[in-house]
Amino acid sequence: MLRPATYAERDLILPWRNHESVRAVSLTTHEIKPEEHARWWEKRWRDVLIYEDDAGTPAGVVIFDGNTWSFYLDAAGLGDKLLFAWMRLEKEAVDYAFGTLGLETLGGETLAENKQVLALHRRFGFKETRRYERLVDGEMKTVVWTERGK
C-alpha cells in the first residue's frame, strides 16, 4: 500500500536511503547526513509516499515530481522479500500515478548499470526513450530515461 508520509517519518527513511545498495544505484551516491536530509525533508516531505508491506510495516518510499518518479526500499529490513516488494511497489506507484494523480505519462531516470530496475520497468510497460551522460557525485554515468503512458 502507498500512503502519504507523515512529518514524523523523516528519520525513519534516512537509513533506507543511505543503505549501501540504494546509494550505489542512486543519482546521489554519497552518504546523506542528517542535516542534509532534514533540509530536503522540510521542502519535500509532502511529496513523499510511504510503501507499506503486507503487515502494514513501512518499507519504502515513492516520490512524484510532476510526471517523474523515483523510489527506494528498505533493503536491509526487507531481506529476501526485496524482489516482491519492488514488484508490488512498482505496480502500486503506476496505479497511483495514473489513478490518483491522473497523469497521462510517467517517467524516470535509472542508471544504466542498474539492470534489475530497468528490467522491472520493462515488465511494467516502461520503454527506454533516451540515454545520456550525467555527472553523479563527480563521475560521468550513463542514465536511461524510461517512460510509459496511461
Side-chain angles (χ1 to χ4, degrees):
M1 173 180 114
L2 289 179
R3 62 162 176 81
T6 66
Y7 185 80
E9 289 175 307
R10 180 189 76 187
D11 296 333
L12 172 70
I13 69 170
L14 181 57
W16 303 347
R17 177 58 181 82
N18 274 337
H19 190 276
E20 183 179 331
S21 67
V22 172
R23 286 193 349 256
V25 293
S26 294
L27 298 173
T28 304
T29 59
H30 69 274
E31 184 172 340
I32 297 171
K33 301 294 183 207
E35 306 79 35
E36 180 183 359
H37 180 65
R39 285 190 304 274
W40 174 85
W41 188 254
E42 286 299 319
K43 293 180 206 166
R44 297 296 308 271
W45 75 271
R46 289 176 187 83
D47 301 322
V48 175
L49 297 173
I50 299 294
Y51 164 77
E52 292 182 346
D53 67 13
D54 287 333
T57 304
V61 169
V62 176
I63 303 164
F64 289 98
D65 187 1
N67 67 341
T68 301
W69 76 301
S70 58
F71 73 94
Y72 53 90
L73 288 163
D74 177 8
L78 285 163
D80 63 356
K81 298 177 190 169
L82 188 60
L83 179 59
F84 174 78
W86 266 355
M87 293 180 69
R88 186 162 163 221
L89 178 146
E90 183 123 354
K91 179 188 181 321
E92 291 183 18
V94 167
D95 291 348
Y96 190 91
F98 296 127
T100 304
L101 296 178
L103 299 179
E104 293 296 319
T105 61
L106 179 63
E109 297 176 302
T110 305
L111 293 177
E113 61 201 50
N114 193 351
K115 298 193 184 311
Q116 291 174 314
V117 167
L118 289 170
L120 179 67
H121 290 338
R122 281 192 302 275
R123 182 180 184 131
F124 281 87
F126 287 84
K127 305 285 185 215
E128 178 181 330
T129 60
R130 65 186 182 274
R131 287 178 178 243
Y132 48 92
E133 297 297 309
R134 178 172 171 172
L135 198 59
V136 176
D137 288 338
E139 185 179 342
M140 290 305 289
K141 299 261 185 164
T142 301
V143 175
V144 178
W145 179 266
T146 57
E147 65 183 37
R148 66 164 279 181
K150 188 174 184 178

